[in-house]
């Protein structure tokens, strides 16, 4: 009787447990190949449940993969080079889903789509893909549209007619764009019309585009740091290296911007408030018909400090790209299209209206090979910069710039103090041991680390420029600290010896 009661009690407990905690489908691995249960990626996605991993074997898959599920991993077995998704529309389109992972594919669209198009407030990671051959100029290699929150990293994005990576219309908490290799696109990375509190663009290598990184019409700050932008050549109304035109501003720091060419501006161009340009290496950029080869700033009070600006040029006549337009974008959501078109039209109009002013400035001979600055009411703080080997070091259109603690080859006759005009002694653009820039900067509002992450200061003060020279290696006889370590070592050995001897002889009973 007791056994029967226990059996009924166990059954009741089991039924109660099922009622409150119903069974869910177990996460699985779903294989896609020519002899697998799933012959297409879409078939596997349709069958998948949250937590599933879809493993795709090498091959070419002619389909537009549609994802609208949470906690899904889509990954190739053998990597991007041998696993290709191609379609006339988007190769992959995400319309919903959190905690997604897309990894290891070559993605191309032969007509109207993007490589990866995220069309909703989804989240996840897009990594280790190759995006190439995107035909539609109004799409993107990887497009994050309308409030996604994604980390896009370690992708190769090249040879597209579209923007490489586009982040648009997002209020998502975080978007991280890093460690991507981007080549041969009209724009490498564009951040457009966003109000996200945390967008960071870092450690990307962008080359042979018209514009490397563009931050346009944002209402929140963006961090653009530790990127390498080089060999970009363009005629778009923006600098070929980094262009920032943003209400919310941007922190542009620790970037290496070199050998870029454009008409009005080549290296870094800033036309926004609440920004800062610091710790950048800006070299061998050329404005062929325009304002500044190195840095152009049209901004009130946005500081420029601890940059190394060398061997930049601004030559020729007035800019000739007054009819240039920013790349157009076609939205799937027609209700958003008009606002996008209006914003782009305003950008084009503002550039065209500014063109005559730029023409007048350049025709008047106000070229700035190193830095060209024009501001409204408040001059930007300018300190701890190296300007050497430029066609003209600083062009101050307003005439009220205050320059402090900088090394300027042409010298500085305007307001400011503690400036020098001495060869900075650069070795591969890093300060040499005899450089007069060592310890010659101001610590006030200086960055805590240099372009490579070396803490400042290393010696008796802050170094001028983007690089902080490290401490000299110790040579010769031991220093006081060496002696201290030696004393501690001897003391430790004596203590051990005392314990051993004492245990053997002194403490015997």
């Amino acid at each position: 009787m007791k056994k029967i009661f226990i059996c009924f009690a166990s059954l009741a407990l089991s039924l109660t447990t099922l009622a409150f905690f119903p069974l869910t489908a177990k996460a699985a691995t779903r294989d896609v190949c020519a002899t697998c249960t799933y012959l297409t990626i879409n078939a596997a996605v349709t069958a998948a449940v949250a937590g599933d991993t879809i493993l795709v074997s090498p091959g070419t898959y002619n389909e537009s993969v549609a994802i609208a599920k949470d906690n899904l991993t889509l990954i190739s077995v053998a990597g991007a080079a041998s696993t290709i998704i191609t379609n006339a529309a988007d190769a992959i389109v995400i319309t919903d889903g959190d905690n997604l992972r897309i990894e290891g594919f070559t993605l191309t669209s032969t007509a109207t789509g993007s490589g990866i198009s995220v069309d909703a407030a989804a989240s996840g990671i897009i990594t280790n893909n190759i995006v190439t051959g995107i035909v539609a100029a109004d799409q993107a290699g990887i497009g994050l549209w309308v409030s996604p929150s994604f980390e896009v990293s370690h992708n190769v994005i090249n040879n597209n007619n579209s923007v490489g990576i586009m982040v648009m219309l997002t209020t998502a908490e975080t978007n991280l764009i890093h460690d991507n290799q981007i080549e041969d696109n009209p724009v490498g990375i564009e951040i457009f019309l966003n109000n996200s509190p945390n967008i960071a663009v870092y450690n990307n290598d962008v080359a042979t585009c018209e514009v490397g990184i563009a931050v346009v019409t944002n209402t929140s700050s963006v961090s653009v740091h530790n990127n390498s932008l080089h060999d970009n050549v363009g005629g778009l109304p923006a600098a070929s290296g980094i262009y920032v035109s943003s209400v919310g501003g941007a922190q542009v720091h620790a970037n290496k911007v070199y050998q870029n060419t454009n008409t009005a501006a080549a290296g870094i161009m800033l036309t926004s408030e609440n920004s800062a340009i610091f710790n950048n290496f800006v070299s061998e950029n050329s404005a062929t018909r325009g304002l500044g080869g190195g840095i152009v700033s049209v901004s009130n009070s946005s500081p420029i400090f601890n940059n190394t600006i060398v061997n930049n040029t601004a030559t020729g006549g007035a800019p000739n790209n007054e009819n240039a337009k920013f790349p157009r974008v076609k939205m799937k959501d027609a209700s958003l299209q008009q606002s996008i078109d209006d914003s782009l039209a305003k950008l084009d109009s503002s550039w065209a209206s500014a063109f005559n002013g730029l023409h007048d400035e350049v025709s008047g001979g106000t070229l700035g090979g190193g830095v060209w600055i024009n501001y409204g009411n408040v001059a930007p703080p300018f300190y701890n910069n190296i300007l050497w080997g430029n066609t003209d070091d600083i062009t101050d259109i307003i005439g009220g710039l205050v320059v402090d603690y900088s090394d300027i080859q042409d010298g500085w006759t305007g307001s400011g103090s503690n400036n020098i005009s001495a060869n900075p002694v650069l070795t591969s653009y890093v300060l040499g041991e005899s450089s007069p820039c060592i310890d010659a900067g101001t610590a006030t509002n200086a960055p805590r680390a240099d372009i490579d992450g070396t803490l400042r200061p290393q010696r008796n003060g802050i170094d001028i420029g983007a690089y902080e020279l490290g401490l000299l290696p110790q040579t010769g006889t031991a220093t006081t600290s060496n002696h201290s370590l030696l004393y501690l070592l001897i003391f430790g050995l004596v203590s051990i010896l005392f314990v051993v001897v004492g245990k053997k002889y002194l403490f015997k009973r």
Side-chain angles (χ1 to χ4, degrees), residues 235-238 320-326 347-348 351-352:
L236 291 175
N320 62 349
N321 59 343
E322 69 274 23
N323 295 317
K325 297 183 183 298
F326 284 88
L347 281 173
D348 294 337
W351 174 256

Side-chain angles (χ1 to χ4, degrees), residues 282-301:
V282 184
S283 175
E284 299 180 72
N285 301 286
S286 177
T288 57
R289 295 179 59 84
L291 307 177
I295 295 175
V296 172
S297 175
V298 186
S299 171
N300 283 320
S301 70

Side-chain angles (χ1 to χ4, degrees), residues 225-366:
H225 64 92
N226 295 98
N227 300 284
S228 179
L229 301 114
H230 57 97
D231 301 295
N232 297 290
V233 179
L236 291 175
S240 286
I242 299 173
Y243 175 69
V244 178
S245 174
S246 174
V247 175
Q251 301 296 301
V252 180
H253 62 101
N255 300 286
K256 296 176 182 178
V257 184
Y258 58 96
Q259 297 177 357
N260 301 287
T261 304
N262 206 325
T263 53
I268 299 172
M269 186 173 186
L270 176 68
T271 63
S272 68
E273 311 304 321
N274 307 311
S275 298
I277 301 174
F278 62 97
N279 267 351
N280 298 286
F281 168 71
V282 184
S283 175
E284 299 180 72
N285 301 286
S286 177
T288 57
R289 295 179 59 84
L291 307 177
I295 295 175
V296 172
S297 175
V298 186
S299 171
N300 283 320
S301 70
S302 294
I304 301 171
F305 57 99
N306 281 100
N307 301 285
T308 297
I309 307 164
V310 293
N311 300 329
N312 301 283
T313 61
T315 59
N320 62 349
N321 59 343
E322 69 274 23
N323 295 317
K325 297 183 183 298
F326 284 88
R328 266 32 193 177
V329 176
K330 186 174 182 180
M331 303 294 292
K332 293 184 177 70
D333 187 340
S335 64
L336 298 173
Q337 189 67 54
Q338 190 60 53
S339 63
I340 298 297
D341 290 343
D342 290 345
S343 296
L344 287 168
K346 288 179 181 178
L347 281 173
D348 294 337
S349 176
S350 64
W351 174 256
S353 64
F355 176 78
N356 289 331
L358 297 175
H359 183 283
D360 293 340
E361 300 289 359
V362 174
S363 297
T366 53

Side-chain angles (χ1 to χ4, degrees), residues 482-494:
N482 295 140
H483 286 307
S484 298
L485 291 173
L486 182 60
Y487 295 152
L488 286 173
L489 178 60
I490 294 172
F491 178 77
L493 291 173
V494 170

Side-chain angles (χ1 to χ4, degrees), residues 186-221:
V187 179
I189 300 169
E190 184 170 353
I191 314 296
F192 184 61
L193 279 174
N194 290 289
N195 190 25
S196 174
N198 183 20
I199 297 180
V201 181
Y202 59 97
N203 290 347
N204 300 284
D205 187 279
V206 186
T208 58
C209 299
E210 290 190 54
V211 177
I213 297 173
V215 181
V216 185
T217 318
N218 289 273
T219 56
S220 60
S221 185

Side-chain angles (χ1 to χ4, degrees), residues 18-61:
L18 285 173
F20 283 96
F21 304 102
L23 292 175
T24 57
K26 184 178 179 181
T29 297
R30 302 179 187 273
D31 296 314
V32 179
C33 69
T35 58
C36 296
T37 301
Y38 304 104
L39 302 180
T40 67
I41 301 171
N42 271 316
V45 171
T46 300
V49 298
D52 278 6
T53 296
I54 298 173
L55 289 177
V56 182
S57 292
T60 299
Y61 297 83

